[in-house]
Amino acid sequence: MDIQKPYLLFLGDAADSLAAKVAQGIHDWRPENVVGQLRLKNCNADLGLQDMNIPAAVEAGAKTLVVGVANRGGVISDLWIEVLQQALLDGLDLAAGLHNKLADVPQLRAAADRLGRKLFDVRHPTGVFPVASGIKRSGKRLLTVGTDCSCGKMYTSLAIEKEMRSRGINVDFRATGQTGILITGAGVSIDAVVSDFISGAVETLTPENDSDHWDVIEGQGSLFHASFAGVTLGLIHGAQPDALILCHEPTRTHMRGLPTYSLPEIGECMEANLKAAQLTNPNVKFAGISVNTSKLSIPESNKFLEETENRFGMVTVDPVRQGVSRIVEGLL
Amino acid sequence: MDIQKPYLLFLGDAADSLAAKVAQGIHDWRPENVVGQLRLKNCNADLGLQDMNIPAAVEAGAKTLVVGVANRGGVISDLWIEVLQQALLDGLDLAAGLHNKLADVPQLRAAADRLGRKLFDVRHPTGVFPVASGIKRSGKRLLTVGTDCSCGKMYTSLAIEKEMRSRGINVDFRATGQTGILITGAGVSIDAVVSDFISGAVETLTPENDSDHWDVIEGQGSLFHASFAGVTLGLIHGAQPDALILCHEPTRTHMRGLPTYSLPEIGECMEANLKAAQLTNPNVKFAGISVNTSKLSIPESNKFLEETENRFGMVTVDPVRQGVSRIVEGLL
């Protein structure tokens, strides 16, 4: 996947700002890749970007319309199709991270074929991946892992990339999920790869590099998630990480989507991830703990971070509240 | 997948008997499902079955022609296509476990569509699987795991099923790879499932059952295989095994296909598998060690088995040389 930039962000008829979180992520992390937003009537999201129709976006240099909104079930709304067709007609490619594919909408498929435009369904990898070789690659790699799904792995990875870049470090964020792919315009939606090729896809995603180069790889799932741990383990092995960051959300009462499964202890989780990662990189180490304390008050958050830091002797931050500079300093 | 029996086993132009090992497996484990063999000129394999042409097989009751031969690269040889077309014409379905699909050969696809026959490409799952729920299912489950790939997991599982059945136990072998699926006519080729759904596919494969029923589930890969461990972990979690059997080949000098990776120690491997399995079934236990000692002399084999049994306090057998009755006795 190599999506042409800059983007026009399509917010559609987003029910609320959460429904437009993909667009929000792109705007937050790659504002330089965005020319404006396109909203339909009844859109309840607003990124504060300039509202543009398609001709104005093309005029402003846009190359791709990105569907930055999700509705229930991840489907492509009939309301959107007319706009998406117009975008193709006016010269834009389309990209989306929905369950249903743009390429499966006959009108869009036909228009794209006729006009020579590209449809990027980033949740559906099109590449053919090799079986992993396990051979050590040059360059340095950091991987975020988690006590659970959806606890801040993408955010933490992007924050670390940004912090490293600001310090002049040779670094790339490597996206493994649809939002990350749309943010950066490249990556592999690892949970949609055929299971024989999980680790091989990650090896392909983070190829050999300069010895001082860092790949900051977005983690997925959790070794303790009964639905997705296989994805996580394959990702860990393919990544061959030198450094791991544990991501955690401390107020969760059970594993996401699994009401009868409680969260692992932080120490147990770090030990299991370290052991798994040692298979393909015996020198792997943990380099920090990243906690999403958004549901705690500032005093509660500070107490939790301090206690965790002392307990594990490991830099512990909320990447939103404190930033990740202490983690990056520890790494360098 | 539900392949109609009995089968005509197609050995094609097998270069040697190893090339026909799928057919051999079906003949060994389910002789009652086979009416005969069909060999082309230059076939160097012979199962000792009655040679039959297609009309004779149909006359004998065959419902499906199974491609029981693999050639280099897993492709469908041009030499075979005429025979396979004839089989469709004469009323048989086709089944194969090759990398390339029967359904992708235009002549076969067209003939099957026209005649209403089925093409089973068992390496390519066609079902839609749910995300795993992790909810405990009734019935008992045994899963074979291994220090490496291809070290006897399918053989051990089939031997345990056979031993249990001979003792009147309510038992089913659950196939997770193409050979196992062709042997039993059902199953899921788990390494070909999209990675998000590995555990969910296994939950579907081994549904709730009577409390005294055993599912004997064929393992895949190894937690210590840098290419495939994600598949193995997803399979373990979906299986929710009550009992694990460790399979091992003691003469291997490195992990299969990975020259720089050595095999794990048996104890380390058992501990890792037990820990992984405890996530979805805290009561899981190891119930034996199954060693493929075919490359050892009888005295060497006996010494290895005895030492391993004493070291781990765990029934240890070569399933070919000793059978698995001691493992099954320990389970009951």
Side-chain angles (χ1 to χ4, degrees), chain A residues 60-194:
Chain A
K63 302 286 185 218
T64 304
L65 179 148
V66 173
V67 178
V69 54
N71 49 21
R72 203 176 270 276
V75 300
I76 295 158
S77 155
D78 285 343
L79 274 175
W80 304 351
I81 291 179
E82 194 183 338
V83 179
L84 300 180
Q85 273 184 295
Q86 192 60 49
L88 292 169
L89 271 173
D90 288 357
L92 301 180
D93 291 338
L94 302 180
L98 306 167
H99 274 291
N100 289 9
K101 291 180 178 184
L102 297 168
D104 286 344
V105 178
Q107 304 99 299
L108 299 181
R109 178 61 161 273
D113 285 351
R114 193 175 74 243
L115 299 161
R117 311 274 182 261
K118 291 187 183 144
L119 303 178
F120 294 96
D121 286 298
V122 305
R123 199 186 280 259
H124 302 272
T126 50
V128 172
F129 299 105
V131 164
S133 73
I135 296 168
K136 187 83 177 77
R137 310 188 292 288
S138 54
K140 292 183 251 187
R141 287 169 188 82
L142 178 148
L143 174 69
T144 47
V145 295
T147 49
D148 195 2
C149 300
S150 307
C151 63
K153 291 183 282 286
M154 185 187 80
Y155 187 97
T156 302
S157 304
L158 283 161
I160 290 173
E161 185 215 27
K162 188 174 181 181
E163 179 70 25
M164 285 185 161
R165 202 178 290 283
S166 77
R167 293 169 183 245
I169 295 166
N170 190 4
V171 60
D172 282 297
F173 168 77
R174 301 298 188 182
T176 60
Q178 63 270 14
T179 306
I181 296 171
L182 290 173
I183 288 174
T184 58
V188 177
S189 198
I190 206 71
D191 60 6
V193 171
V194 165

Side-chain angles (χ1 to χ4, degrees), chain A residues 10 29 43 56 79-80 89 114 125 153 165 170 214 225 231 233 251 265 280 284 286:
Chain A
F10 179 65
W29 293 106
C43 181
L79 274 175
W80 304 351
L89 271 173
R114 193 175 74 243
K153 291 183 282 286
R165 202 178 290 283
N170 190 4
W214 279 93
H225 197 291
V231 179
L233 185 61
T251 68
E265 294 293 323
T280 57
V284 59
F286 264 93

